[in-house]
Structure formats: structure tokens, C-alpha cells
Amino acid sequence: ETGVTQSPTHLIKTRGQQVTLRCSSQSGHNTVSWYQQALGQGPQFIFQYYREEENGRGNFPPRFSGLQFPNYSSELNVNALELDDSALYLCASRPGASGRAGETQYFGPGTRLLVL
Amino acid sequence: KNQVEQSPQSLIILEGKNCTLQCNYTVSPFSNLRWYKQDTGRGPVSLTIMTFSENTKSNGRYTATLDADTKQSSLHITASQLSDSASYICVVSGEGGGGYNKLIFGAGTRLAVHP
């Protein structure tokens, strides 16, 4: 176990709805990243939060947004859900913002989202 | 374009046999390369991490190599076990603007170890 937890484990939504996924980072880790992993694909970087501020974003539309709280836990919000949003959403934490050599990301088990 | 390509897409081997997974990348600038193991329905778990100056790193029965000149890496699994059945993902780290680290993930190699 990595110490990173995510909730819920599974979720079913319909197109157009909104969803909030949650992540608790490993103790002492102030950087949280979110990834989307479609079936059979590698994870795609959504965005990263460092000390409550977004400091990096991948190629995802604005309807993907997030928050990081003072205890470094984080939320991923997706508005106006589309069928293609169905995926495993992974959260990962690490102790620093740069991710330089020697810093390993610790992944949570993921939340599997199905959009019907 | 920053890309990480892995081969083969899938692999079936018999328990006890060795295998080698490949990773080619075009990420620039390059910071480090990591191999992760991902069991079905679980988050990835780090196996090895190598910087530009390292060309081999071992973790038990897993040995990763890196050739920064040709931008290739391999993951060698020795004496495979049934529990090695998983997806193995190569991840290359570049430096993003604003100081954040940008990770480029490969699509993974799905390994199945049969008794």
C-alpha cells in the first residue's frame, strides 16, 4: 500500500452530469497530480497541485478542475460529463513540486468512472 | 512531440522464464526514466528510477537499463513468477515550464505469466 487513498472506488454517472473525485495524499507529501487512464492506455496527465495552487496542466479542457486543501488532500471535478470521460482516474502524491531525480510518485488505487 | 513508445504491447511467458520489455522515448529535455508495475484495477507502483547518468538499476528480479544516447530503455524480468502478471509502464520525466515536472507515460506492456 502506498498511503494514497481515493474515493469512491467506482462511480456511474450519466452524460451531462458533474462528478467530484477525492484523494488523500501520503503523509508529508505536498504535491498531488491527477491522471486519466483509458482502458488499455497509459495514464494521461491532467494537472498538478502544489501547496493549494495548480502549477501544471495537461491537455484537458476547463471542465476538468481541481482543488487542493491545506492538509494537501485534493479533489478532481469534472463538469458536463461526456462518454469519453469513462476511465480510471489516478491520483499521485510526492514530497516536492519538481519531481526531480529521486522523487517517486506514489499512486492511489484509482476511481473507475463510467459515464452512460 | 514528446512520446514514449513501448513494445511489445502484450507478452505471454511461462513461469520461470525471463523476458525483456522495451521502451523508446523522444522526450526532451530529459530528467529521468521510471518503470512502474500496474496490477489490473490498481494504481501503478514504482519499480526503478534512473537519471541521465545511470545506465542500469536493479530491484530484486527486475533490472532496468537506460541508453540516453539512443533514448532507449529496457526492463528485464528474471525467473518470472505468476505474480509478475501485470502491465509494465515506462514513464519519462521532462521539465515543464514553471518548474513543475512533466511525466510522459507509455501505453504499457501487458505481461501474462502462465504456469
Side-chain angles (χ1 to χ4, degrees), chain B residues 23-41:
Chain B
C23 173
N24 297 336
Y25 62 93
T26 58
V27 178
S28 182
F30 171 85
S31 178
N32 55 62
L33 184 146
R34 313 161 195 231
W35 283 92
Y36 281 86
K37 177 185 179 186
Q38 185 175 24
D39 293 314
T40 301

Side-chain angles (χ1 to χ4, degrees), chain A residues 37 55 98-99 101 103 105 108, chain B residues 34 38 43 51 100-101 103 105-106:
Chain A
Q37 186 176 23
N55 74 336
S98 69
E103 285 187 10
Q105 283 199 125
Chain B
R34 313 161 195 231
Q38 185 175 24
T51 62
Y100 78 91
N101 176 263
L103 299 183
F105 286 73

Side-chain angles (χ1 to χ4, degrees), chain A residues 1-2 35 37 40-43 45 48 55-57 88 90 94 97-105 107-110 112, chain B residues 31-32 34 36 38 41-46 49 51 89 93-95 97-108 110:
Chain A
E1 298 298 325
T2 64
Y35 296 86
Q37 186 176 23
Q41 301 294 317
F45 175 69
Q48 174 177 288
N55 74 336
R57 190 176 185 92
L88 180 69
L90 294 165
R94 60 173 176 257
S98 69
R100 295 186 187 279
E103 285 187 10
T104 296
Q105 283 199 125
F107 284 85
R112 186 162 293 284
Chain B
S31 178
N32 55 62
R34 313 161 195 231
Y36 281 86
Q38 185 175 24
R42 307 292 296 273
V45 175
S46 179
I49 179 169
T51 62
I89 302 175
S93 173
E95 294 297 332
Y100 78 91
N101 176 263
K102 188 174 184 177
L103 299 183
I104 312 297
F105 286 73
R110 182 168 295 278

Side-chain angles (χ1 to χ4, degrees), chain B residues 40-91:
Chain B
T40 301
R42 307 292 296 273
V45 175
S46 179
L47 295 176
T48 64
I49 179 169
M50 289 181 292
T51 62
F52 181 87
S53 60
E54 297 174 298
N55 55 24
T56 186
K57 185 72 71 77
S58 291
N59 178 0
R61 294 179 296 103
Y62 301 103
T63 299
T65 65
L66 172 65
D67 185 334
D69 291 331
T70 62
K71 299 186 178 181
Q72 295 179 326
S73 176
S74 66
L75 180 69
H76 187 73
I77 304 175
T78 304
S80 61
Q81 300 176 358
L82 299 179
S83 59
D84 292 332
S85 296
S87 286
Y88 291 85
I89 302 175
C90 174
V91 185

Side-chain angles (χ1 to χ4, degrees), chain A residues 71-83:
Chain A
N71 66 355
Y72 304 134
S73 65
S74 177
E75 286 183 354
L76 164 66
N77 300 292
V78 187
N79 295 322
L81 284 167
E82 300 176 0
L83 298 180

